[in-house]
Amino acid sequence: MNVEKLDAWWRAANYVSVGQIYLRDNPLLRTPLRREDVKERLLGHWGTTPGLNFIYAHLNRVIAERQQEMLFITGPGHGGPANVANAWLEGTYSEIYSAITPNEAGLKELFKQFSYPGGIPSHAAPETPGSINEGGELGYSLAHAYGAVFDNPQLIAACVIGDGEAETGPLAASWHSNSFLDAKNDGAVLPILHLNGYKIANPTVLSRIPEAQLEQLMRGYGYDPHFVTVADPRATDQAHRDFASALDACVNRIGEIQAAAREEQRQTEEHPAWPMIVLRSPKGWTGPEIVDGDQVEGTWRAHQVPLSGIHDDDAHLRQLEEWMRSYKPGELFTDEGLLDEAIAEQAPAGDLRMSATPYANGGRLLEDLRLPAYADHAVVVDRPGQEKASPMATAGGYLRELITLNPENFRLFGPDETASNRLQDVYEVTDKVWQQRIDDVDEHLARSGRVMEVLSEHLCQGWLEGYLLTGRHGVFNCYEAFVHIVDSMFNQHAKWLKVHQDLPWRQPVASLNYMLSSHVWQQDHNGFSHQDPGFIDHVVNKKADVIRVYLPPDANTMLAVTEHCLQTRDRVNVIVTGKQPTMTWLGPEEARLHFERGIGVWDFAGRETEGEEPDAVLGCAGDVPTGEVIAAAKLLKEALPLLKVRVVNVVDLMRLQDSSEHPHGLPARSFDTLFTRDRPVIFAYHGYPWLIHRLTYRRTNHSNIHVRGYKEEGTTTTPFDMAMMNQIDRYQLAMDVIDRVPSLRSTQAEIRQHFQDERQRAWQYTRDNGKDIDAVTGWLLEESSPDDAS
Amino acid sequence: MNVEKLDAWWRAANYVSVGQIYLRDNPLLRTPLRREDVKERLLGHWGTTPGLNFIYAHLNRVIAERQQEMLFITGPGHGGPANVANAWLEGTYSEIYSAITPNEAGLKELFKQFSYPGGIPSHAAPETPGSINEGGELGYSLAHAYGAVFDNPQLIAACVIGDGEAETGPLAASWHSNSFLDAKNDGAVLPILHLNGYKIANPTVLSRIPEAQLEQLMRGYGYDPHFVTVADPRATDQAHRDFASALDACVNRIGEIQAAAREEQRQTEEHPAWPMIVLRSPKGWTGPEIVDGDQVEGTWRAHQVPLSGIHDDDAHLRQLEEWMRSYKPGELFTDEGLLDEAIAEQAPAGDLRMSATPYANGGRLLEDLRLPAYADHAVVVDRPGQEKASPMATAGGYLRELITLNPENFRLFGPDETASNRLQDVYEVTDKVWQQRIDDVDEHLARSGRVMEVLSEHLCQGWLEGYLLTGRHGVFNCYEAFVHIVDSMFNQHAKWLKVHQDLPWRQPVASLNYMLSSHVWQQDHNGFSHQDPGFIDHVVNKKADVIRVYLPPDANTMLAVTEHCLQTRDRVNVIVTGKQPTMTWLGPEEARLHFERGIGVWDFAGRETEGEEPDAVLGCAGDVPTGEVIAAAKLLKEALPLLKVRVVNVVDLMRLQDSSEHPHGLPARSFDTLFTRDRPVIFAYHGYPWLIHRLTYRRTNHSNIHVRGYKEEGTTTTPFDMAMMNQIDRYQLAMDVIDRVPSLRSTQAEIRQHFQDERQRAWQYTRDNGKDIDAVTGWLLEESSPDDAS
């Protein structure tokens, strides 16, 4: 190891980092620094940056020496200047962004764009070469790192964890990811806990608890910590030697663990303590030690811009110049502003550069999934509504075969709910990953497998994001209500994809697929706390190019939706459907066609006269509302022989929007054809009813659309009782039609009263006997004639 | 300690728990169990229940012996049967719910209602006496426990943590709460980590890592663990003795720590390791050991209903009877079904019963806040838009005095953002709580104080919920975008309040107040990842009775909103406003009046002719949109001297809804008066624009409302650039008016082009120079005459 050259790289990276925060001109300090060289508004964050640069330089040595594939994850917030500086020094930045040349002119542009209107953010972001982790919202770095190395046995993810970030819940849970990492078939994560002591304005917990306690904590999490403490910030040689020694020890130990798992008889009982590093170094290390008499280096005052007011304070201007010159730019860069050759040659080459690794641009590694034959898994349907099948279980059978066909690049994630959500067929061909003790009584647990189960939605989401962004495929199955736990993680991923799509150098990655079940209408076991269909509302706020929402009404449609979503790229697909056996309305090919259209008239359920407008339209989206609408149509058809009623089912929710607002939106004329221009529309929707208004408020017939949905009424009860409490039940819908068709309203009071009475009777029965509607009325379509089907 | 009596209580609680899951009749098994005694649908969860009952019985002994005030927090999911059983045995259940008498008839009703349509949920819930923690969504028990004991030095919160729950991020972060608990002025939390080995369908991480590692983990978290392991499930006497001994040791140790902190010279450097218990006992302990040849007790199979199919399987029916009789109900209950006197007398009396403690019904303890004088903090305003003040900093001054006036029952929570959000004035009178090392360089850190800062939104929310539900007051200040991290926690709290409001025995508690700042339009430092105004959309899905949303446009309005929210009960108040100095539009009394109305015409900003309708209405909600609307109105007034333009500002967002939909909704006629029935309305909104449509779609003039808002475009840039990117800037709004007023559209192309050119010029300037709009055009209202004000 050449400490001097390594230190030179670090100085260069620090110099380029400081330049980004401060300079708009004179990037190599060829002349004394003038006020006009400094940006007018100083925005950016220095505090965490020198530590990141330090670690990066050392990782580069290891990569180059060992030709080790490595991915760098920047956990600390506002670490962007470091990633960008190193990417520029490695040449990657200029290869990707040709305007930012690897010379003085490019350096000037690199400096100027940082934290500047229309420029680049101060966090590691999609724009940042080598990054798969957005450093704005903290807490997900370690989960991303684990997701990245699953099924990548040759990869080490070096994950720098900020001590601020370490206080978050998701990060705290992520340490336990080692209970799910298989040393044989997965790569390794090297956590580097970077204790620089402060977050924005406070000390951090992990930097202030006694070191012995911190060591116990890390050992308790299952790691073997190597402590590197920078006692004297000026003794940089010592710091380099200490860190290099710890790093070598860790990488060697990773090799030993992997070799033991891969080459010898596996000791399945043993759970190795994986190495990790605790680096204690001053916040703002190498920056101004004291400013205006206040200690800055090593304190929270180094968090953002340590020297401010440069334009009004010559002393600060001089201190800035002194600081920048302390890195000796003259030794680092040639006259043209190129990085000195001797320094540059330390970096790894080509794709081994962490700024250029394909693992951080996963689309480069992505392979299409081999898909099962749709027909093999579809439910045969002679007539609509004769056979029950669970949409989720049907998808489970499909996923079982998908896993068989794709044993290395697909995983299924769930918070201890995969079987509860009825996907348990997958266990016929794979297992749940588990590295701790396995007892005789346990089922489907193994060291390796395709299913990841942990009682943390954060970990499921974080692992999956890491897995997808490194070029693989996956599904996250979750209880509908509790997916809100990752609302914010979804936000950040959707934002990542939005920016990523606009960057030509970022290759498309597989979509993030949510399968949400155990939904609001099926809460026999749980109740009010488990009732929240609002994730859809949350999702549709994000860019239309990124998000899709599907509400398959039956098993075959679910299958068609699943098959489609697994083939898409750069999207977030949200699928919501039931796990209980429910009527299958469409045959295999009908279902596929219905899914492709996304919306359609279900002739078998309604009754129309050719060439005439219906008297009313019953719209539906979601499995339970669809069942209630079909039952309501049947009640109406039986009671009112002359009524023309149309049933429209929506499987692709974005079809309701206009084509100008969403790529899947329906053109105005098509919408008007389906929903008419002036007839009453009673729409039964799976979620909060106002979402349908928000999606359709520009439609011609909007003022006639009356929506029923979940209005936050519920408890532990039957699906039918739930429908009653929220007035989305068949009887209510039938009464709604009578109330809104003028000719019926005035003449059919008796029939309306009949529905009302039946409703009351059914409700009383279900409440008295704890039974669901099937037991109350029998299945309403039982006596439908085959002619009803289409 | 009388082990026999203690065991009898445990058996009684287990009996009453099993009864809830299974029986609808024959509650005391007076006759052999018949099929018809058993509920038709068996729903409920046995697994965690016997362990909870065991702990509860032991805590009762300690409470009775020491007259110790104690709060029981049920962390494990589906623990409801245990809480309900103990509340019934203690008599509390019958005191609260008079239909559930403390005898055989009541027991039958108690059994029947559980997990039954219209009955009670299987989680601890608002309906459950003694609970402040909903057991449906897991992970918040320990944070709630800490929140409950802050400023309650006499209280111990016994917090049972499930080993499934322990895998969640929020719970993992919560262990570190001891770094924020002051032994002198706060009470104590006694965590009881209950390892029963399994969650729904998988083993748990903490139950399977080696015990030595688990001990290191707990010590690393800063606790001194006492392990109690039930090696032989049948050796219950041994289990009782072991647990009692551990519990006594823990409570004694808590006393020692508190005495040292309270009575002697405080050792501020010392951070005591608080005691905690790790209880390892079989899942479904005392339930069926083997069913149909499969091991059930001690496995995941005991999670729900261990014996199913009772109606079709006589062997199961007999096994159920045997199981229930194993608790010897004849010894536990009198002939009338009353709990045996000797067993009953073990329980604490009155409010010391954990099911009856006022800490779990915090409204009983709630005292009104003493409020500062509004006028002392308001900004003096001679004319609208002449002086700048930060709305958040103004609130900060008010909170400073509030803290002085209320030193014991108000806390301010924030994820390391209190100063960043400009509330730092509070540090003039209080400190941030911190129990770890305090260095000389640190500022405003102390062992006790009113400000809680930790980099975890989950902890801030969880602590505050615990603090509020035990009868105190608080504010959570947070970056707007990252409050989504607690979307799901908000959901559960809003659901809690909705149910709580309907329970006459639950007294009103203080509202949960969010102050959200560093919002979407002010992202000079951060960027796209920090831009998300969707929390409002999320919040408005919940019950109208519970939620309020305020968007104060300036400092004085912020003050009026703050003053109001601190006095409300049983609500969630969301306040979103800026932290940067911004124009103050309204004087102190005007602002208060405007807030009380919630919406109003701003005459000084618009221009109208008495008795005539305006040509267009400019609506606004939010501080930045309000500024842009006022600037747009000025541009229009100057360019088009005959134009009549009205400016309507909305501070209480719920005013936009109809009065039938929300208690704060505006009646239709008032809305029409403000927004006219047919004139174009250009509405500039702080958040996603469609929310305004969702709130107003039933309004007369809805089809003429054109909304500008955040449409997910952004980066690290100036507020003006942000406004431009999302087309909510003054020039765009002015052009929108021209485009939508028919008489202007056809005649004023030249003026429109002028706005377009100015827009381009301003944008170019801000992008080229990194400056905000003030520097570009000067403040537009500078030359307003005093007559413009009203």
Side-chain angles (χ1 to χ4, degrees), chain A residues 41 200 416 487 495 524 531-532 541-542 690, chain B residues 41 200 416 487 495 524 531-532 541-542 690:
Chain A
R41 298 185 337 140
I200 300 178
D416 192 29
D487 272 5
K495 281 177 178 280
D524 309 54
Q531 292 163 1
D532 191 303
N541 274 341
K542 288 289 165 289
W690 30 85
Chain B
R41 297 185 338 140
I200 300 178
D416 192 29
D487 272 5
K495 280 177 178 281
D524 308 54
Q531 292 163 1
D532 191 304
N541 274 341
K542 288 288 166 286
W690 30 86

PDB file of all heavy atoms in Angstrom, chain A residues 41 200 416 487 495 524 531-532 541-542 690, chain B residues 41 200 416 487 495 524 531-532 541-542 690:
ATOM      1  N   ARG A  41     -24.913  32.031  -3.804  1.00  0.00           N
ATOM      2  CA  ARG A  41     -25.597  31.321  -2.714  1.00  0.00           C
ATOM      3  C   ARG A  41     -24.831  30.040  -2.424  1.00  0.00           C
ATOM      4  O   ARG A  41     -24.652  29.208  -3.313  1.00  0.00           O
ATOM      5  CB  ARG A  41     -27.026  30.979  -3.124  1.00  0.00           C
ATOM      6  CG  ARG A  41     -27.865  32.226  -3.413  1.00  0.00           C
ATOM      7  CD  ARG A  41     -29.335  31.949  -3.716  1.00  0.00           C
ATOM      8  NE  ARG A  41     -29.587  30.611  -4.195  1.00  0.00           N
ATOM      9  CZ  ARG A  41     -30.645  29.892  -3.825  1.00  0.00           C
ATOM     10  NH1 ARG A  41     -31.542  30.399  -2.998  1.00  0.00           N
ATOM     11  NH2 ARG A  41     -30.825  28.688  -4.313  1.00  0.00           N
ATOM     12  N   ILE A 200     -27.778  16.892  12.016  1.00  0.00           N
ATOM     13  CA  ILE A 200     -27.867  18.305  11.635  1.00  0.00           C
ATOM     14  C   ILE A 200     -27.447  19.200  12.804  1.00  0.00           C
ATOM     15  O   ILE A 200     -26.604  20.080  12.665  1.00  0.00           O
ATOM     16  CB  ILE A 200     -29.305  18.709  11.222  1.00  0.00           C
ATOM     17  CG1 ILE A 200     -29.785  17.889  10.028  1.00  0.00           C
ATOM     18  CG2 ILE A 200     -29.361  20.203  10.887  1.00  0.00           C
ATOM     19  CD1 ILE A 200     -31.230  18.211   9.603  1.00  0.00           C
ATOM     20  N   ASP A 416     -43.994 -11.899   6.580  1.00  0.00           N
ATOM     21  CA  ASP A 416     -44.589 -13.017   7.315  1.00  0.00           C
ATOM     22  C   ASP A 416     -46.016 -13.260   6.848  1.00  0.00           C
ATOM     23  O   ASP A 416     -46.854 -13.759   7.603  1.00  0.00           O
ATOM     24  CB  ASP A 416     -44.561 -12.719   8.829  1.00  0.00           C
ATOM     25  CG  ASP A 416     -44.894 -13.941   9.688  1.00  0.00           C
ATOM     26  OD1 ASP A 416     -44.618 -15.069   9.245  1.00  0.00           O
ATOM     27  OD2 ASP A 416     -45.445 -13.757  10.784  1.00  0.00           O
ATOM     28  N   ASP A 487     -45.026   3.843   2.629  1.00  0.00           N
ATOM     29  CA  ASP A 487     -45.441   4.967   1.772  1.00  0.00           C
ATOM     30  C   ASP A 487     -44.238   5.796   1.335  1.00  0.00           C
ATOM     31  O   ASP A 487     -44.082   6.157   0.170  1.00  0.00           O
ATOM     32  CB  ASP A 487     -46.380   5.908   2.545  1.00  0.00           C
ATOM     33  CG  ASP A 487     -47.840   5.495   2.434  1.00  0.00           C
ATOM     34  OD1 ASP A 487     -48.111   4.431   1.840  1.00  0.00           O
ATOM     35  OD2 ASP A 487     -48.695   6.237   2.955  1.00  0.00           O
ATOM     36  N   LYS A 495     -39.827   8.415  -7.250  1.00  0.00           N
ATOM     37  CA  LYS A 495     -39.071   9.590  -7.665  1.00  0.00           C
ATOM     38  C   LYS A 495     -37.765   9.160  -8.352  1.00  0.00           C
ATOM     39  O   LYS A 495     -37.360   9.744  -9.355  1.00  0.00           O
ATOM     40  CB  LYS A 495     -38.748  10.480  -6.452  1.00  0.00           C
ATOM     41  CG  LYS A 495     -39.924  11.339  -6.003  1.00  0.00           C
ATOM     42  CD  LYS A 495     -39.597  12.154  -4.760  1.00  0.00           C
ATOM     43  CE  LYS A 495     -40.754  13.048  -4.355  1.00  0.00           C
ATOM     44  NZ  LYS A 495     -40.865  14.278  -5.133  1.00  0.00           N
ATOM     45  N   ASP A 524     -62.443 -10.622   8.579  1.00  0.00           N
ATOM     46  CA  ASP A 524     -63.066 -11.502   9.569  1.00  0.00           C
ATOM     47  C   ASP A 524     -62.197 -11.631  10.812  1.00  0.00           C
ATOM     48  O   ASP A 524     -62.682 -11.722  11.932  1.00  0.00           O
ATOM     49  CB  ASP A 524     -63.277 -12.903   8.983  1.00  0.00           C
ATOM     50  CG  ASP A 524     -63.988 -12.872   7.650  1.00  0.00           C
ATOM     51  OD1 ASP A 524     -63.518 -12.160   6.744  1.00  0.00           O
ATOM     52  OD2 ASP A 524     -65.009 -13.551   7.511  1.00  0.00           O
ATOM     53  N   GLN A 531     -57.913  -1.994   7.998  1.00  0.00           N
ATOM     54  CA  GLN A 531     -58.757  -1.536   6.884  1.00  0.00           C
ATOM     55  C   GLN A 531     -58.270  -0.192   6.381  1.00  0.00           C
ATOM     56  O   GLN A 531     -58.555   0.844   6.976  1.00  0.00           O
ATOM     57  CB  GLN A 531     -60.214  -1.437   7.357  1.00  0.00           C
ATOM     58  CG  GLN A 531     -60.806  -2.814   7.662  1.00  0.00           C
ATOM     59  CD  GLN A 531     -62.061  -2.746   8.505  1.00  0.00           C
ATOM     60  OE1 GLN A 531     -62.522  -1.673   8.858  1.00  0.00           O
ATOM     61  NE2 GLN A 531     -62.615  -3.893   8.829  1.00  0.00           N
ATOM     62  N   ASP A 532     -57.521  -0.221   5.310  1.00  0.00           N
ATOM     63  CA  ASP A 532     -57.096   1.035   4.702  1.00  0.00           C
ATOM     64  C   ASP A 532     -56.722   0.800   3.246  1.00  0.00           C
ATOM     65  O   ASP A 532     -55.659   0.264   2.949  1.00  0.00           O
ATOM     66  CB  ASP A 532     -55.917   1.640   5.461  1.00  0.00           C
ATOM     67  CG  ASP A 532     -55.666   3.068   4.991  1.00  0.00           C
ATOM     68  OD1 ASP A 532     -55.449   3.257   3.764  1.00  0.00           O
ATOM     69  OD2 ASP A 532     -55.698   3.992   5.795  1.00  0.00           O
ATOM     70  N   ASN A 541     -50.525   9.931  -6.803  1.00  0.00           N
ATOM     71  CA  ASN A 541     -49.940  11.276  -6.801  1.00  0.00           C
ATOM     72  C   ASN A 541     -48.628  11.330  -7.569  1.00  0.00           C
ATOM     73  O   ASN A 541     -48.176  12.422  -7.930  1.00  0.00           O
ATOM     74  CB  ASN A 541     -49.678  11.750  -5.358  1.00  0.00           C
ATOM     75  CG  ASN A 541     -50.901  12.403  -4.739  1.00  0.00           C
ATOM     76  OD1 ASN A 541     -51.817  12.822  -5.442  1.00  0.00           O
ATOM     77  ND2 ASN A 541     -50.907  12.493  -3.425  1.00  0.00           N
ATOM     78  N   LYS A 542     -48.011  10.195  -7.778  1.00  0.00           N
ATOM     79  CA  LYS A 542     -46.710  10.206  -8.441  1.00  0.00           C
ATOM     80  C   LYS A 542     -46.871  10.243  -9.965  1.00  0.00           C
ATOM     81  O   LYS A 542     -47.968  10.140 -10.490  1.00  0.00           O
ATOM     82  CB  LYS A 542     -45.887   9.007  -7.978  1.00  0.00           C
ATOM     83  CG  LYS A 542     -45.398   9.157  -6.532  1.00  0.00           C
ATOM     84  CD  LYS A 542     -44.309  10.216  -6.405  1.00  0.00           C
ATOM     85  CE  LYS A 542     -44.046  10.649  -4.974  1.00  0.00           C
ATOM     86  NZ  LYS A 542     -45.142  11.471  -4.395  1.00  0.00           N
ATOM     87  N   TRP A 690     -63.793   8.987  -3.109  1.00  0.00           N
ATOM     88  CA  TRP A 690     -63.468  10.246  -3.794  1.00  0.00           C
ATOM     89  C   TRP A 690     -62.372  10.093  -4.842  1.00  0.00           C
ATOM     90  O   TRP A 690     -62.244  10.931  -5.708  1.00  0.00           O
ATOM     91  CB  TRP A 690     -63.102  11.325  -2.773  1.00  0.00           C
ATOM     92  CG  TRP A 690     -62.487  10.781  -1.529  1.00  0.00           C
ATOM     93  CD1 TRP A 690     -61.187  10.482  -1.331  1.00  0.00           C
ATOM     94  CD2 TRP A 690     -63.176  10.442  -0.311  1.00  0.00           C
ATOM     95  NE1 TRP A 690     -61.005   9.982  -0.061  1.00  0.00           N
ATOM     96  CE2 TRP A 690     -62.196   9.949   0.581  1.00  0.00           C
ATOM     97  CE3 TRP A 690     -64.515  10.512   0.101  1.00  0.00           C
ATOM     98  CZ2 TRP A 690     -62.512   9.519   1.886  1.00  0.00           C
ATOM     99  CZ3 TRP A 690     -64.822  10.084   1.390  1.00  0.00           C
ATOM    100  CH2 TRP A 690     -63.834   9.593   2.265  1.00  0.00           C
TER     101      TRP A 690
ATOM    102  N   ARG B  41     -68.160 -19.735  13.345  1.00  0.00           N
ATOM    103  CA  ARG B  41     -66.877 -19.363  12.713  1.00  0.00           C
ATOM    104  C   ARG B  41     -65.870 -19.098  13.831  1.00  0.00           C
ATOM    105  O   ARG B  41     -66.092 -18.225  14.666  1.00  0.00           O
ATOM    106  CB  ARG B  41     -67.044 -18.105  11.864  1.00  0.00           C
ATOM    107  CG  ARG B  41     -68.014 -18.334  10.714  1.00  0.00           C
ATOM    108  CD  ARG B  41     -68.140 -17.153   9.752  1.00  0.00           C
ATOM    109  NE  ARG B  41     -67.739 -15.888  10.312  1.00  0.00           N
ATOM    110  CZ  ARG B  41     -67.053 -14.964   9.645  1.00  0.00           C
ATOM    111  NH1 ARG B  41     -66.694 -15.189   8.399  1.00  0.00           N
ATOM    112  NH2 ARG B  41     -66.747 -13.821  10.209  1.00  0.00           N
ATOM    113  N   ILE B 200     -46.591 -15.308  12.528  1.00  0.00           N
ATOM    114  CA  ILE B 200     -47.718 -16.034  11.925  1.00  0.00           C
ATOM    115  C   ILE B 200     -47.277 -17.409  11.434  1.00  0.00           C
ATOM    116  O   ILE B 200     -47.889 -18.414  11.756  1.00  0.00           O
ATOM    117  CB  ILE B 200     -48.323 -15.251  10.713  1.00  0.00           C
ATOM    118  CG1 ILE B 200     -48.838 -13.881  11.126  1.00  0.00           C
ATOM    119  CG2 ILE B 200     -49.446 -16.063  10.075  1.00  0.00           C
ATOM    120  CD1 ILE B 200     -49.386 -13.058   9.960  1.00  0.00           C
ATOM    121  N   ASP B 416     -34.520  15.861  14.620  1.00  0.00           N
ATOM    122  CA  ASP B 416     -33.284  16.621  14.408  1.00  0.00           C
ATOM    123  C   ASP B 416     -33.551  17.835  13.523  1.00  0.00           C
ATOM    124  O   ASP B 416     -32.669  18.295  12.807  1.00  0.00           O
ATOM    125  CB  ASP B 416     -32.225  15.713  13.748  1.00  0.00           C
ATOM    126  CG  ASP B 416     -30.832  16.314  13.754  1.00  0.00           C
ATOM    127  OD1 ASP B 416     -30.513  17.106  14.663  1.00  0.00           O
ATOM    128  OD2 ASP B 416     -30.053  16.005  12.833  1.00  0.00           O
ATOM    129  N   ASP B 487     -46.946   7.811   7.866  1.00  0.00           N
ATOM    130  CA  ASP B 487     -48.302   7.700   7.305  1.00  0.00           C
ATOM    131  C   ASP B 487     -49.114   6.645   8.044  1.00  0.00           C
ATOM    132  O   ASP B 487     -50.280   6.862   8.415  1.00  0.00           O
ATOM    133  CB  ASP B 487     -48.234   7.263   5.830  1.00  0.00           C
ATOM    134  CG  ASP B 487     -48.117   8.430   4.882  1.00  0.00           C
ATOM    135  OD1 ASP B 487     -47.984   9.576   5.349  1.00  0.00           O
ATOM    136  OD2 ASP B 487     -48.132   8.197   3.648  1.00  0.00           O
ATOM    137  N   LYS B 495     -57.549   6.333  13.412  1.00  0.00           N
ATOM    138  CA  LYS B 495     -58.562   5.288  13.626  1.00  0.00           C
ATOM    139  C   LYS B 495     -58.850   5.151  15.119  1.00  0.00           C
ATOM    140  O   LYS B 495     -59.995   4.987  15.532  1.00  0.00           O
ATOM    141  CB  LYS B 495     -58.071   3.957  13.040  1.00  0.00           C
ATOM    142  CG  LYS B 495     -58.242   3.855  11.529  1.00  0.00           C
ATOM    143  CD  LYS B 495     -57.673   2.558  10.986  1.00  0.00           C
ATOM    144  CE  LYS B 495     -57.898   2.427   9.486  1.00  0.00           C
ATOM    145  NZ  LYS B 495     -59.263   2.009   9.127  1.00  0.00           N
ATOM    146  N   ASP B 524     -33.975  24.816  -1.678  1.00  0.00           N
ATOM    147  CA  ASP B 524     -32.674  25.304  -2.119  1.00  0.00           C
ATOM    148  C   ASP B 524     -31.563  24.312  -1.788  1.00  0.00           C
ATOM    149  O   ASP B 524     -30.608  24.136  -2.528  1.00  0.00           O
ATOM    150  CB  ASP B 524     -32.343  26.635  -1.427  1.00  0.00           C
ATOM    151  CG  ASP B 524     -33.462  27.653  -1.580  1.00  0.00           C
ATOM    152  OD1 ASP B 524     -34.599  27.327  -1.231  1.00  0.00           O
ATOM    153  OD2 ASP B 524     -33.168  28.767  -2.038  1.00  0.00           O
ATOM    154  N   GLN B 531     -39.407  16.709  -1.793  1.00  0.00           N
ATOM    155  CA  GLN B 531     -40.583  17.408  -2.306  1.00  0.00           C
ATOM    156  C   GLN B 531     -41.766  16.465  -2.355  1.00  0.00           C
ATOM    157  O   GLN B 531     -41.908  15.672  -3.283  1.00  0.00           O
ATOM    158  CB  GLN B 531     -40.279  17.971  -3.700  1.00  0.00           C
ATOM    159  CG  GLN B 531     -39.245  19.089  -3.649  1.00  0.00           C
ATOM    160  CD  GLN B 531     -38.620  19.377  -4.992  1.00  0.00           C
ATOM    161  OE1 GLN B 531     -38.969  18.757  -5.990  1.00  0.00           O
ATOM    162  NE2 GLN B 531     -37.670  20.307  -5.027  1.00  0.00           N
ATOM    163  N   ASP B 532     -42.604  16.550  -1.344  1.00  0.00           N
ATOM    164  CA  ASP B 532     -43.817  15.743  -1.377  1.00  0.00           C
ATOM    165  C   ASP B 532     -44.853  16.360  -0.451  1.00  0.00           C
ATOM    166  O   ASP B 532     -44.750  16.233   0.766  1.00  0.00           O
ATOM    167  CB  ASP B 532     -43.531  14.300  -0.977  1.00  0.00           C
ATOM    168  CG  ASP B 532     -44.738  13.418  -1.263  1.00  0.00           C
ATOM    169  OD1 ASP B 532     -45.836  13.735  -0.750  1.00  0.00           O
ATOM    170  OD2 ASP B 532     -44.612  12.425  -1.994  1.00  0.00           O
ATOM    171  N   ASN B 541     -58.239  11.335   3.869  1.00  0.00           N
ATOM    172  CA  ASN B 541     -59.012  10.101   3.718  1.00  0.00           C
ATOM    173  C   ASN B 541     -59.653   9.661   5.023  1.00  0.00           C
ATOM    174  O   ASN B 541     -60.571   8.848   5.013  1.00  0.00           O
ATOM    175  CB  ASN B 541     -58.115   8.958   3.205  1.00  0.00           C
ATOM    176  CG  ASN B 541     -58.013   8.942   1.688  1.00  0.00           C
ATOM    177  OD1 ASN B 541     -58.845   9.529   0.996  1.00  0.00           O
ATOM    178  ND2 ASN B 541     -57.003   8.282   1.170  1.00  0.00           N
ATOM    179  N   LYS B 542     -59.147  10.151   6.120  1.00  0.00           N
ATOM    180  CA  LYS B 542     -59.665   9.686   7.407  1.00  0.00           C
ATOM    181  C   LYS B 542     -60.927  10.474   7.780  1.00  0.00           C
ATOM    182  O   LYS B 542     -61.301  11.448   7.142  1.00  0.00           O
ATOM    183  CB  LYS B 542     -58.584   9.783   8.475  1.00  0.00           C
ATOM    184  CG  LYS B 542     -57.490   8.728   8.288  1.00  0.00           C
ATOM    185  CD  LYS B 542     -57.986   7.341   8.648  1.00  0.00           C
ATOM    186  CE  LYS B 542     -57.053   6.232   8.156  1.00  0.00           C
ATOM    187  NZ  LYS B 542     -57.115   6.014   6.695  1.00  0.00           N
ATOM    188  N   TRP B 690     -54.933  17.976  -7.813  1.00  0.00           N
ATOM    189  CA  TRP B 690     -56.213  17.264  -7.885  1.00  0.00           C
ATOM    190  C   TRP B 690     -56.943  17.229  -6.549  1.00  0.00           C
ATOM    191  O   TRP B 690     -58.146  17.005  -6.515  1.00  0.00           O
ATOM    192  CB  TRP B 690     -55.995  15.847  -8.436  1.00  0.00           C
ATOM    193  CG  TRP B 690     -54.656  15.283  -8.119  1.00  0.00           C
ATOM    194  CD1 TRP B 690     -54.303  14.624  -6.987  1.00  0.00           C
ATOM    195  CD2 TRP B 690     -53.479  15.350  -8.943  1.00  0.00           C
ATOM    196  NE1 TRP B 690     -52.980  14.278  -7.048  1.00  0.00           N
ATOM    197  CE2 TRP B 690     -52.442  14.690  -8.218  1.00  0.00           C
ATOM    198  CE3 TRP B 690     -53.195  15.901 -10.205  1.00  0.00           C
ATOM    199  CZ2 TRP B 690     -51.142  14.571  -8.723  1.00  0.00           C
ATOM    200  CZ3 TRP B 690     -51.908  15.772 -10.692  1.00  0.00           C
ATOM    201  CH2 TRP B 690     -50.892  15.124  -9.977  1.00  0.00           C
TER     202      TRP B 690
END
